[in-house]
Amino acid sequence: MENKKMEVSGINRRNFLKTSAALGAAATISGFPAVLRGAAPKEILIGSIQPVTGPLPDIGIAMQRGNKLAADEINARGGIKSMGGAKLKLLLGDCEAKEDVGRTVAERQIKEGAVCLVGPFLSGVAMAIATLAEQRNVPFVIDVAALDAITAKGYKNVFRCFAKTEFFMTSMARYLDLIIKEKKVTIKRIAVTNAGDAFGRGQGAAFIKYVKDKKLPFEIVEHIEYPLGVKDLSAEVAKLKAAKPDLLCPVARPGDAKLLIREMYKQRLELLGIISPGSPGWYEPEFVKDMDKLAYYVLDNVPWVNPKSPKFQEANARFEKLYPGKYLDTNSGYAYTGVLVIADALERAKSTDPAALREALRKTNFKDHPMVGGPVIFDEKGDNINAATAMVQVLPDPNMDDRVKVVLPKEAAQAPYVFPWKQLWERGA
């Protein structure tokens, strides 16, 4: 399946290394750093680390494209003007969805002259890079990775644009309460599933803990964990069916989301619907396209693009033109935002000196981004206090690219939400 995914994505690890090596060669001079920190460089190197190969290539490729979209935009506007129009140059790195590889890639990029790091989607990889960034005194801007533990230690060089897990849970409870009241449905029995990586385990456990700590009126009747990259979920779905939940709250990635839906269809698992407390998998273009009608009506509580924002509309138009059939979503949108935040800080710092850049990041108040939520402002631990989530839903639309829509909050909604859903086997799929 992994090889098949890479073929679909048009990239494999050998091609990726060849491409990134060429870009790296253009960004360095005879192996020496192209940027001397504190000087006025012609190019400013930023290490972009994403899971381009491994079990999550679709997400990693989309995020590196988001990083690049922002760098190209800044360069087209004349670069970092306070530093003589210095251009941003991304050093592209592939963490392969592995923590040790992510740290090794980050170490190499720092040696090549990266003055800041951005990435890396996976929370476990983010934790490994955060430790290194602190040791090497290099600012690290996390575009996507939600686990609270990443910033809990209060690292001085680590900043996160994305919402942390705590934000997901408070939003999930608010949206769930609203849906129950508006649709006048009864939900008493909830099942939770999650992949067993750092994010999946953390997000699944956080949701269950939140339900229990806040004494929400639901019983968790089943909690199932499986390995990231699992190939078969038939036994897990059989357990779910036996538990007879009203609602499934899964934390998944594109591969296991497809397996789950297919098995639910085969085994005719009857539910009021799926509402994810927040995870990728349910809105990715590949999931929406491959599952077609089976993807309809899934609800996902995620930090999302604001479709009514002029900034989103402009950036998404460029993204769709560059990559036909793709669009900015939570991952590529935050990847785009992460590099914009770094550029804004560089502009104000007027220097690539780590202390100056770190201080500028700490004072960030960045409004010109395409995501739901207010300006990016970091608290004392480096978390974005205005990161917010939207409830998105896959809805019927003749244009496949327009099927994922914001349905809550109402001020950003593109369509009314549908709940309960139509059972999978009743859709003519």
Side-chain angles (χ1 to χ4, degrees), residues 47-49 91-93 105-114 117:
S48 161
I49 307 164
L91 299 177
L92 303 181
V105 171
E107 181 83 276
R108 187 187 70 232
Q109 291 176 338
I110 292 170
K111 288 179 179 176
E112 290 175 350
L117 304 172

Side-chain angles (χ1 to χ4, degrees), residues 19 23 46 48 50 60-76 88-92 118 143 318-319 322-323 328 332 335-340:
T19 302
L23 289 170
I46 297 171
S48 161
Q50 305 292 358
I61 291 167
M63 291 188 65
Q64 221 153 54
R65 287 171 173 172
N67 290 155
K68 190 173 184 304
L69 188 77
D72 290 346
E73 176 182 316
I74 297 298
N75 292 340
L88 302 184
K89 189 81 174 181
L90 296 183
L91 299 177
L92 303 181
V118 67
D143 43 21
R318 285 191 289 118
F319 195 81
L322 286 167
Y323 311 109
L328 285 179
S332 50
Y336 171 72
T337 300
V339 172
L340 291 184

Side-chain angles (χ1 to χ4, degrees), residues 52-129:
V52 177
T53 63
L56 304 167
D58 295 329
I59 291 175
I61 291 167
M63 291 188 65
Q64 221 153 54
R65 287 171 173 172
N67 290 155
K68 190 173 184 304
L69 188 77
D72 290 346
E73 176 182 316
I74 297 298
N75 292 340
R77 290 181 187 171
I80 305 300
K81 296 180 179 63
S82 68
M83 286 189 273
K87 299 292 191 289
L88 302 184
K89 189 81 174 181
L90 296 183
L91 299 177
L92 303 181
D94 176 16
C95 67
E96 305 173 37
K98 298 174 182 173
E99 296 166 16
D100 57 337
V101 176
R103 181 184 168 99
T104 299
V105 171
E107 181 83 276
R108 187 187 70 232
Q109 291 176 338
I110 292 170
K111 288 179 179 176
E112 290 175 350
V115 301
C116 190
L117 304 172
V118 67
F121 179 72
L122 287 156
S123 291
V125 179
M127 291 180 73
I129 297 175

Side-chain angles (χ1 to χ4, degrees), residues 98-100 102-103 119-135 140 142 144-153 155 158 160 197-199 202:
K98 298 174 182 173
E99 296 166 16
D100 57 337
R103 181 184 168 99
F121 179 72
L122 287 156
S123 291
V125 179
M127 291 180 73
I129 297 175
T131 304
L132 177 73
E134 200 69 4
Q135 292 169 346
F140 171 34
I142 298 170
V144 177
L147 203 61
D148 289 356
I150 301 169
T151 53
K153 292 185 177 179
Y155 290 142
V158 179
R160 170 162 48 192
D197 65 312
F199 170 74

